[in-house]
Amino acid sequence: MSRTDWRRRLGRSWWLLLGLMLGPLLLCDLLAGKAEHGALALPLFIAGLLAMFPSLLLFRQYKRALVATERALGSDAELDAWQQLASRHRKALVGAALPAWIAALAVFAGLEAVPQLLLLSASLVLLLLYRIPRQLA
């Protein structure tokens, strides 16, 4: 597989997870609509905020794999480096989507629109960190 193919594959997985991150929240908003404000709304919002912190470890691992891939370009270890980067990228994307998925669950507990948007924007910002840089082309 060429570098361009790897970049394309990783880019597609990024867009796929973006859709998988936005979809459940929009679907839950349509289904739950005007759910009553429950006692679990605030704890779920706090859990969504705390779900951002595992992304710190995942980001560190992703950056190490990114640097290792850049160093391995043109060598025999390039294929292994791309595979390692793809694995770390996948895990990091799932970790970045956690706050939005918790917001989708919290809709049924009556979480208001503003906290939903805060958790969604936190996930979007985290997701933007995992774009594949152009230097790997």
Side-chain angles (χ1 to χ4, degrees):
M1 208 184 246
S2 70
R3 292 178 194 164
T4 308
D5 293 336
W6 276 107
R7 280 188 43 102
R8 223 179 269 137
R9 181 179 176 186
L10 293 173
R12 276 194 307 258
S13 68
W14 188 90
W15 282 104
L16 175 68
L17 200 78
L18 177 66
L20 289 174
M21 184 181 73
L22 295 173
L25 185 59
L26 295 174
L27 186 64
C28 289
D29 269 337
L30 287 175
L31 293 177
K34 303 287 183 193
E36 293 292 322
H37 184 70
L40 287 178
L42 184 61
L44 283 172
F45 175 70
I46 293 170
L49 290 176
L50 292 176
M52 292 188 307
F53 290 106
S55 187
L56 293 173
L57 175 66
L58 295 171
F59 182 72
R60 190 176 316 126
Q61 293 172 354
Y62 167 74
K63 280 307 218 184
R64 285 184 186 148
L66 198 60
V67 169
T69 303
E70 188 176 11
R71 286 184 184 153
L73 291 179
S75 71
D76 294 336
E78 184 174 356
L79 178 63
D80 291 334
W82 278 108
Q83 290 172 347
Q84 186 70 257
L85 178 63
S87 172
R88 300 288 184 205
H89 188 249
R90 196 175 320 111
K91 290 176 186 176
L93 289 177
V94 169
L98 281 176
W101 289 338
I102 291 173
L105 288 175
V107 168
F108 296 108
L111 190 66
E112 299 290 329
V114 172
Q116 287 176 29
L117 286 175
L118 288 173
L119 290 175
L120 180 66
S121 62
S123 283
L124 285 173
V125 167
L126 289 173
L127 202 66
L128 285 174
L129 292 175
Y130 299 115
R131 297 289 306 235
I132 300 298
R134 293 181 183 165
Q135 289 86 359
L136 289 182

